[in-house]
Amino acid sequence: MNNVLEYLEETVLRVPEKTAFQNDSTAMTFSQVYSSARCIGSFLINSGYCCEPVAVFMNKSPQMIAAFFGVLYSGCYYVPIDEEMPQHRIKLVLDVLKPRFMICDEVTMQLAEGVSGCEISLYSEVSNFKADESALANVRETTLDIDPIYIVFTSGSTGIPKGIAACHRSVIDYIETLSDALEFGGNTVFGNQSPLCFDACLKELYPTIKFGACTVLIPKHLFSFPVKLIEFLNEYKINTICWVASALSLVSGMGAFDVLKPEYLHTVAFGSEVFPIKQFHRWREALPNATFTNLYGPTEATGMSCYYRVDRDFEDTEPIPIGKPFPNTGIMLIGEDGQLAKAGEAGEIYIRGTAVTLGYFRDPDRTEQAYVQNPLNNLYPETVYKTGDLAYVNERGELVYVSRKDYQIKHMGRRIELGEIEAVCNATDGVEIACCVFDDANSRIILCYSGAVEAPFLQEELKERLPRYMLPHSVYKLGALPFTLNGKIDRNLIKDTYAKGDKL
Amino acid sequence: MEKLVLMLAQMHPDVDFYNCASLIDDGIIDSFDIISLVADLNEEFEVSISAGDIVPENFNSAQALWELVSRLQNE
């Protein structure tokens, strides 16, 4: 198997009329997804697009997913753009991407016209193009498993987002091993939480087409209302969820289980950030027969690289391990000296294997810094991904995550470079200099700055320029920022002063 | 009620919280707001908002929120 579309093609023969993807208003069967995708692919080929990025800017919907596969049928690679991304960020993404073509829906069309600078068509048009069987077959023959499938953008410390390109081979490797570990199958009903513009949704989309399973896209507003959310899980008989820990914590933390429990849920995976153990216990209590799996992995290694299925009890102070790498993925913990960290000591996680992605799109410099030669191999070229995450191996032989090495943080399951928030602030009129710190204990982003602009005005300005999850919770205007002796902003002092959880 | 509106205004200085009755329906406040709001209200007004109370109807306007807080205070 060399192309992810083979999953769809085998499944559509088996269960054509089964619902593949649905949200609270529309649903698409495998046969509909297949036909629409082939029409979109034919349109792109006949319009002269080939082996290039195609932006998909739509409201989260089954149609958006069909558009992804449509782009793959043309031999191009899809770049999902979230409906909720602020215009400024969309523009930054498009500046890196420079796509020639974008697929929109009726809602996003107007937003796109202002920023895109490329050809735009509506999904409803391109999905009604006549399928061109011979053109599709020709493209398939020349597509290799090392060709990209998608580019997803993550936060970058210079303020320019990084586009991570992943190929068929990496995604197949990931989906096969993940599906085995979490025991996905034809009866799996996924409740998707992640936006479609992140690699996190691979966990649902590709096993769905592999097994003929089903993915229900959960309306975002339900994540504010935990009891309604559980009602939704029960209504759609959702049995499998892979959510960020903060979404799970929301449900348990607000006491939703006292009112209602999920009836069908048997598989719960969580990752992308540390799951507070107290909340984890509440989940386990509510679902004593479900399996719980902790996942860890960077977008640069396709999705998740390590997993640990909870098989014992944990103390409130004990971290849940990230366990061991998936089969065909290797983890090396490298110490400060460039050698393997000693037993029990923390080292930086380096990842080897097919799941390591192709690199950052149109960004050789940053690619070179993170996709490096295996430091333990000087015999032949071998690219590994240097995560910047620290971990150690415990006495049971399980990997345990420690923290980020630098300023990159995880907040609400999203990866954020504090430097990017600073870069945006620093670019705002009336700001002299800004410093952003993360209050780990209270999970709050804190921004201090000096300059003429008033805090509420700056906050408004940031809303225009940053995605919601990157907005600082507290903003302090200072006469001047404190500096250390060697002239750097004294981040530790700022953190000690302002990160005590005291509110504005 | 003023205190409550002040808290809301800190999140969204541009919204007229005295008159807006579609905070949820129009997506003006989102899950990030609601999580922090519940924590702040619990602390500020010494109430305990339970999961059953966290439904869209109670968050659609400052008035509805205030009624929720008042009811919990009197319980």
Side-chain angles (χ1 to χ4, degrees), chain A residues 4-24:
Chain A
V4 292
L5 292 171
E6 291 170 44
Y7 284 141
L8 180 60
E9 287 154 3
E10 282 165 24
T11 295
V12 78
L13 294 177
R14 275 192 299 116
V15 285
E17 297 316 314
K18 196 180 164 195
T19 297
F21 301 105
Q22 62 177 325
N23 58 16
D24 54 346

Side-chain angles (χ1 to χ4, degrees), chain A residues 108-163:
Chain A
T108 58
M109 191 73 173
Q110 289 188 326
L111 296 168
E113 277 171 340
V115 288
S116 79
C118 69
E119 201 61 36
I120 306 174
S121 286
L122 284 172
Y123 174 87
S124 54
E125 291 164 17
V126 294
S127 61
N128 281 315
F129 194 83
K130 194 175 177 314
D132 182 341
E133 302 298 331
S134 74
L136 291 169
N138 285 342
V139 163
R140 179 60 64 83
E141 249 173 55
T142 53
T143 303
L144 307 185
D145 69 354
I146 54 169
D147 290 332
I149 297 185
Y150 61 77
I151 301 174
V152 295
F153 280 84
T154 69
S155 176
S157 56
T158 58
I160 309 291
K162 293 186 279 203

Side-chain angles (χ1 to χ4, degrees), chain A residues 86-276:
Chain A
Q87 287 241 324
H88 176 258
R89 193 175 167 87
I90 293 177
K91 204 162 177 335
L92 286 177
V93 165
L94 295 177
D95 283 349
V96 174
L97 201 62
K98 300 186 178 67
R100 291 202 296 145
F101 190 75
M102 184 188 275
I103 300 173
C104 285
D105 58 30
E106 279 76 4
V107 179
T108 58
M109 191 73 173
Q110 289 188 326
L111 296 168
E113 277 171 340
V115 288
S116 79
C118 69
E119 201 61 36
I120 306 174
S121 286
L122 284 172
Y123 174 87
S124 54
E125 291 164 17
V126 294
S127 61
N128 281 315
F129 194 83
K130 194 175 177 314
D132 182 341
E133 302 298 331
S134 74
L136 291 169
N138 285 342
V139 163
R140 179 60 64 83
E141 249 173 55
T142 53
T143 303
L144 307 185
D145 69 354
I146 54 169
D147 290 332
I149 297 185
Y150 61 77
I151 301 174
V152 295
F153 280 84
T154 69
S155 176
S157 56
T158 58
I160 309 291
K162 293 186 279 203
I164 295 155
C167 71
H168 290 272
R169 180 52 57 204
S170 296
V171 172
I172 292 167
D173 183 76
Y174 172 46
I175 293 309
E176 292 296 320
T177 53
L178 176 81
S179 300
D180 270 356
L182 291 174
E183 297 170 15
F184 296 152
N187 295 323
T188 299
V189 182
F190 290 104
N192 156 281
Q193 171 253 324
S194 150
L196 298 181
C197 65
F198 288 105
D199 58 290
C201 72
L202 297 173
K203 290 198 276 302
E204 289 121 11
L205 305 196
Y206 286 91
T208 294
I209 59 168
K210 171 180 160 71
F211 292 109
C214 176
T215 293
V216 183
L217 306 172
I218 303 174
K220 186 168 172 262
H221 73 266
L222 288 183
F223 286 91
S224 310
F225 303 108
V227 175
K228 300 253 172 224
L229 178 58
I230 298 177
E231 284 172 3
F232 186 90
L233 296 181
N234 290 343
E235 186 187 338
Y236 286 88
K237 299 191 168 59
I238 288 165
N239 56 34
T240 303
I241 56 175
C242 309
W243 291 355
V244 295
S246 35
L248 294 169
S249 298
L250 168 85
V251 172
S252 52
M254 289 188 172
F257 294 139
D258 299 340
V259 183
L260 189 66
K261 290 195 174 66
E263 286 170 46
Y264 303 92
L265 206 51
H266 57 57
T267 303
V268 179
F270 49 93
S272 303
E273 61 190 343
V274 177
F275 194 2

Side-chain angles (χ1 to χ4, degrees), chain A residues 220-221 223-228 246 250-251 254-257 259 411-412 414 444 456 459-460 463 468-469 473 503-504, chain B residues 10-14 24 28-36 38-40 43 49-57 59:
Chain A
K220 186 168 172 262
H221 73 266
F223 286 91
S224 310
F225 303 108
V227 175
K228 300 253 172 224
S246 35
L250 168 85
V251 172
M254 289 188 172
F257 294 139
V259 183
H411 179 55
M412 307 296 281
R414 310 285 180 77
R444 293 172 86 88
Q459 277 172 298
E460 277 310 297
K463 271 190 203 165
R468 181 74 217 194
Y469 61 91
H473 298 87
K503 298 191 192 77
L504 267 174
Chain B
Q10 273 187 4
M11 294 176 174
H12 297 278
D14 49 333
I24 301 299
I28 295 168
I29 62 173
D30 63 14
S31 59
F32 291 85
D33 294 324
I34 291 166
I35 299 164
S36 40
V38 168
D40 292 350
E43 193 179 322
I49 299 173
S50 66
D53 294 321
I54 306 171
V55 291
E57 303 85 273
F59 286 76

